[in-house]
Amino acid sequence: MRLILAIIVSLSVFTASAQNSAFPNFTGDPFIKYSISAPGINASFIPYGARLTSLFVNDKNGNPQDVVVGYDNGTQYLNDTETVHTFFGAVVGRYANRIKNGTFTINGTTYHIPENEHNGEDTLHGGFIGYDQQNWTVVSQQTDSITFSFYDQAYQGFPGDVINYATYTLSNNNGIPRWTSRLVSIPLNLQTPIMLANHVYWNLGAFVNSAAQTVLNNTLYMPYADRYIQIDGIEVPTGGIALTANTPLDFTSPTLIGANIKNTVNNCGTGCTGYDNAFILDRPRYSNPEATDLTVLQLSSPETGIQLTLKTNQQSLQIYSCNNEDGTIPLKADQQHGNTTTGYQKFGCIVIETQQWIDGINYPQWGQDAYQIYGPTDEPAVNFQTYDFSIVQD
């Protein structure tokens, strides 16, 4: 009942404030798919959550494969929100990941936002009505790119107003298909926490056979992930920082995801086995937010030969190995391949969120304020990512 009331109140506030907005109200169908393409890659998006719903790249045999988890019909994402709430493919915000007790302090003022997780002990992905549940406006579309906008008028109790843009571009660079995501947030009046992230679920094996039903045989490499943020039993940071060396969280050399996963008990919360951890990227943050020259992650599937190479300006990667999937959500039609397994299984995918340090606004000793708290006199908050898709050579 508390959740239903919170949603009703939030929606009523949204409707009233949107009518007075300096930016155009959303019109049209929030679940209609918009497609863009470039040589060797194509993708589709919907305004609901500015979310990625499919992404096709060629496998080692030259066959196009859809490598992201989701639904066939756009309206299914609304049903997902109302039930299991996976955040499939969406932009999450105004502040991604978790905030302890839904509380933070800026310039001596303490703010309290809705705690929508663990019976009111923390806030996840922005509160009861996060960016994933907002209808973003398509402000530009070309053959190979699309830009969405969303005007946030102090929703969910966050201070101040923020205009957000999500620009997605496809390209081909010397035969390597690329998806570029650029999330830009501009605060208009008050200082506020901002940490947007894409919440895409990947399976580079595209479920082509029984071995590709999980990502356990995928190779993961994060060369700069020497440290991780320690969490408590409900996955909220404790303030501790630990080394990944000699733990199941060490992917500083290429390692199978399933190699040590049985040893991760309680690493991702009480009773949890799998990965749901924030890895710190120990390499310099670039002064130019789009000058991303270092590979921070590589992921590859032996079933398709597809390899993903990620570069970003962010200082952390949240890695989630789909520990809670149980086969009840059906695979998309283009991922069925005639297999007997027809639902997304436990460990059947992996989420890669590029972001800043989780709950850094509550740990000033981490020195994250400059990258998480923004005001009208600061540069915009920019989360910039490139995903290159190549074929692993045998």
Side-chain angles (χ1 to χ4, degrees):
M1 180 61 70
R2 179 185 178 189
L3 174 58
I4 294 173
L5 289 174
I7 291 174
I8 292 173
V9 171
S10 181
L11 287 175
S12 64
V13 171
F14 172 78
T15 301
S17 59
Q19 293 174 349
N20 300 318
S21 169
F23 297 89
N25 297 339
F26 177 85
T27 59
D29 183 351
F31 307 112
I32 190 171
K33 292 185 179 181
Y34 293 80
S35 297
I36 60 176
S37 63
I41 185 171
N42 67 80
S44 62
F45 306 85
I46 60 173
Y48 182 63
R51 72 184 69 217
L52 175 68
T53 59
S54 67
L55 190 145
F56 287 84
V57 292
N58 292 337
D59 64 17
K60 59 187 177 183
N61 298 315
N63 299 317
Q65 302 291 349
D66 186 358
V67 294
V68 301
V69 169
Y71 297 99
D72 289 313
N73 190 304
T75 58
Q76 291 174 288
Y77 290 94
L78 177 59
N79 179 68
D80 180 291
T81 297
E82 295 171 340
T83 54
V84 291
H85 207 169
T86 62
F87 303 92
F88 280 168
V91 173
V92 292
R94 174 186 302 192
Y95 191 92
N97 223 311
R98 293 173 172 88
I99 299 176
K100 185 176 182 178
N101 298 323
T103 303
F104 55 87
T105 300
I106 299 177
N107 294 330
T109 300
T110 298
Y111 297 90
H112 197 95
I113 58 177
E115 305 104 313
N116 60 319
E117 192 183 39
H118 296 118
N119 297 316
E121 294 190 51
D122 68 279
T123 300
L124 175 65
H125 295 326
F128 286 112
I129 308 291
Y131 283 13
D132 64 297
Q133 298 175 65
Q134 303 290 352
N135 298 328
W136 292 56
T137 299
V138 177
V139 295
S140 177
Q141 183 182 13
Q142 308 296 324
T143 301
D144 58 359
S145 69
I146 188 168
T147 296
F148 296 91
S149 71
F150 170 62
Y151 183 31
D152 173 358
Q153 293 183 275
Y155 298 142
Q156 298 294 284
F158 282 94
D161 303 336
V162 178
I163 180 68
N164 303 276
Y165 296 95
T167 298
Y168 304 128
T169 304
L170 301 182
S171 58
N172 189 297
N173 303 280
N174 299 316
I176 303 297
R178 170 177 290 181
W179 173 44
T180 299
S181 171
R182 185 182 64 186
L183 308 177
V184 179
S185 301
I186 304 171
L188 302 182
N189 38 40
L190 296 176
Q191 284 196 310
T192 179
I194 298 176
M195 192 167 80
L196 274 58
N198 291 112
H199 204 279
V200 179
Y201 288 62
W202 302 92
N203 183 313
L204 300 184
F207 309 95
V208 295
N209 55 31
S210 59
Q213 301 305 309
T214 76
V215 296
L216 296 178
N217 67 350
N218 284 202
T219 299
L220 178 61
Y221 176 40
M222 297 187 289
Y224 301 102
D226 294 313
R227 297 182 294 161
Y228 69 99
I229 295 173
Q230 294 180 307
I231 55 176
D232 62 18
I234 60 170
E235 302 180 79
V236 172
T238 62
I241 304 293
L243 297 175
T244 59
N246 301 312
T247 77
L249 279 67
D250 188 0
F251 290 94
T252 53
S253 60
T255 304
L256 293 181
I257 291 175
N260 298 301
I261 203 165
K262 66 179 183 298
N263 299 320
T264 62
V265 178
N266 297 324
N267 275 7
C268 50
T270 300
C272 173
T273 298
Y275 296 100
D276 195 2
N277 303 95
F279 294 82
I280 295 170
L281 299 177
D282 284 315
R283 57 88 166 92
R285 185 181 194 274
Y286 300 95
S287 57
N288 177 352
E290 298 185 13
T292 52
D293 296 328
L294 297 176
T295 295
V296 299
L297 178 146
Q298 281 190 328
L299 177 70
S300 62
S301 164
E303 308 307 318
T304 59
I306 296 172
Q307 177 173 268
L308 178 157
T309 299
L310 170 64
K311 299 178 181 179
T312 182
N313 68 332
Q314 299 298 284
Q315 295 175 305
S316 175
L317 297 175
Q318 181 79 21
I319 302 296
Y320 170 60
S321 55
C322 295
N323 313 321
N324 296 322
E325 297 305 319
D326 59 6
T328 57
I329 298 177
L331 304 182
K332 288 185 285 186
D334 56 45
Q335 295 173 333
Q336 294 284 347
H337 302 292
N339 297 320
T340 56
T341 302
T342 58
Y344 297 117
Q345 304 293 315
K346 184 181 180 71
F347 307 138
C349 43
I350 182 171
V351 178
I352 305 166
E353 299 174 54
T354 70
Q355 56 194 221
Q356 297 303 120
W357 295 17
I358 172 177
D359 202 21
I361 53 175
N362 280 316
Y363 295 98
Q365 66 270 28
W366 290 352
Q368 281 283 299
D369 284 3
Y371 311 122
Q372 298 197 17
I373 298 176
Y374 294 84
T377 61
D378 300 317
E379 65 181 36
V382 179
N383 184 333
F384 187 79
Q385 313 147 58
T386 63
Y387 298 81
D388 287 346
F389 299 91
S390 56
I391 300 300
V392 176
Q393 300 302 314
D394 295 330

